């Protein structure tokens, strides 16, 4: 009969592979060292209960799942099917979020630009300023995309790129708002300088490594 350490190790390895993760990538996600993950998957040692709880929460299974022999081929087939469905759902979620943001922006724009209660006596400058909503639509969409990529896809590189672009578009939107949509206009392009230290902080944070638990 197969020993418990080997059973746990095979289940851990199969679940990791089903997610398309390397041991190093998994280590970053759950904050355990890749050496410990390697030992557990090879069946050299059995993870403690607290570690198995962390793995169970990450993979969306129960703790006792790791303790029973599983049909590895069936597991991989199910995981691939679930992975495809999950990616489709995530993609649809992102698409619906972007569509919602665009619709909100269009609603705000048309409510100001073609408001029937204005009686046709609308200041042309006021109509022009209503276009600013599309400037701000961009950073809002990027923020939503960042949150979904970070918490749904768990893609650290893409999340870092998105949050960086978000910060710069916010600063640019502020500059454009004051330069073209304010009365009187004001040149505040110098605010872009603020983006430099913020960008440095983002890069440093993205490369920050927490001390592994084991």
């Amino acid at each position: 009969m197969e020993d418990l350490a080997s059973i746990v190790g095979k289940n851990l390895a199969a679940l990791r592979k089903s997610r398309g993760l390397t041991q190093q990538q998994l280590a970053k996600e759950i904050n355990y060292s890749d050496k410990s993950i390697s030992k557990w998957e090879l069946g050299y040692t059995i993870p403690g209960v607290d570690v198995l709880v962390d793995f169970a929460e990450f993979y969306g299974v129960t703790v006792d799942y790791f303790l029973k022999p599983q049909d590895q081929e069936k597991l991989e087939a199910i995981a691939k099917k679930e992975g495809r469905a999950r990616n489709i759902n995530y993609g649809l979620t992102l698409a619906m979020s972007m569509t919602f943001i665009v619709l909100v922006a269009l609603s705000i724009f048309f409510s100001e630009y073609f408001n029937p209660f204005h009686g046709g006596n609308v200041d042309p400058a006021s109509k022009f300023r209503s276009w600013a909503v599309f400037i701000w639509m961009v950073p809002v969409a990027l923020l939503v995309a960042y949150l979904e990529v970070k918490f749904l896809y768990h893609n650290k590189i893409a999340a870092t790129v998105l949050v960086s672009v978000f910060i710069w578009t916010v600063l640019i939107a502020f500059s454009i708002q004051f330069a073209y949509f304010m009365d009187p206009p004001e040149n505040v392009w110098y605010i872009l300088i603020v983006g430099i230290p913020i960008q440095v902080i983002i890069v440093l944070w993205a490369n920050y490594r927490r001390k592994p638990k084991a």
Side-chain angles (χ1 to χ4, degrees):
M1 183 177 178
E2 198 172 11
D3 64 280
L4 183 60
S6 179
I7 293 172
V8 173
K10 286 183 178 180
N11 291 334
L12 287 173
L15 283 171
R16 174 180 58 77
K17 292 175 182 177
S18 70
R19 293 292 183 91
L21 296 171
T22 64
Q23 291 180 345
Q24 290 76 15
Q25 291 172 329
L26 178 61
K28 293 177 183 178
E29 290 287 344
I30 63 175
N31 197 31
Y32 287 103
S33 71
D34 56 333
K35 292 182 179 179
S36 295
I37 293 173
S38 178
K39 287 193 302 181
W40 296 329
E41 291 187 357
L42 291 172
Y44 293 158
T45 59
I46 299 177
V49 175
D50 56 334
V51 178
L52 288 177
V53 169
D54 289 340
F55 275 114
E57 291 178 353
F58 180 77
Y59 289 121
V61 298
T62 58
V63 172
D64 64 335
Y65 176 92
F66 299 108
L67 308 179
K68 302 175 183 177
Q70 306 291 337
D71 186 334
Q72 302 301 324
E73 292 183 0
K74 182 179 179 181
L75 171 63
E76 291 179 8
I78 293 174
K80 288 180 181 178
K81 184 177 179 180
E82 290 179 347
R84 287 193 295 268
R86 185 168 55 249
N87 288 334
I88 291 173
N89 289 337
Y90 289 168
L92 288 173
T93 301
L94 184 59
M96 287 188 293
S97 300
M98 296 301 105
T99 302
F100 177 75
I101 292 170
V102 172
L103 290 175
V104 169
L106 287 172
S107 299
I108 295 173
F109 171 74
F110 285 119
S111 67
E112 290 296 323
Y113 200 84
F114 298 109
N115 193 333
F117 298 104
H118 287 159
N121 300 318
V122 184
D123 181 6
S126 176
K127 277 191 172 184
F128 174 72
R129 284 193 291 270
S130 64
W131 285 89
V133 68
F134 296 112
I135 302 298
W136 288 100
M137 178 185 73
V138 177
V140 171
L142 286 168
L143 177 60
V144 172
Y146 159 73
L147 293 173
E148 294 190 2
V149 167
K150 181 177 176 61
F151 295 107
L152 294 181
Y153 287 97
H154 302 287
N155 190 322
K156 191 173 183 179
I157 295 176
T160 301
V161 171
L162 283 171
V163 74
S164 298
V165 178
F166 163 72
I167 293 298
W168 286 105
T169 53
V170 166
L171 295 174
I172 292 172
F174 264 113
S175 301
I176 294 175
Q177 177 76 37
F178 279 90
Y180 299 102
F181 299 105
M182 299 297 289
D183 188 21
E186 186 176 350
N187 187 355
V188 294
W189 289 99
Y190 56 83
I191 198 174
L192 294 178
I193 299 174
V194 177
I196 298 175
I198 295 177
Q199 182 65 70
V200 172
I201 293 172
I202 291 173
V203 173
L204 292 175
W205 180 257
N207 289 279
Y208 176 75
R209 296 288 184 269
R210 293 177 296 172
K211 184 178 179 181
K213 299 176 184 176

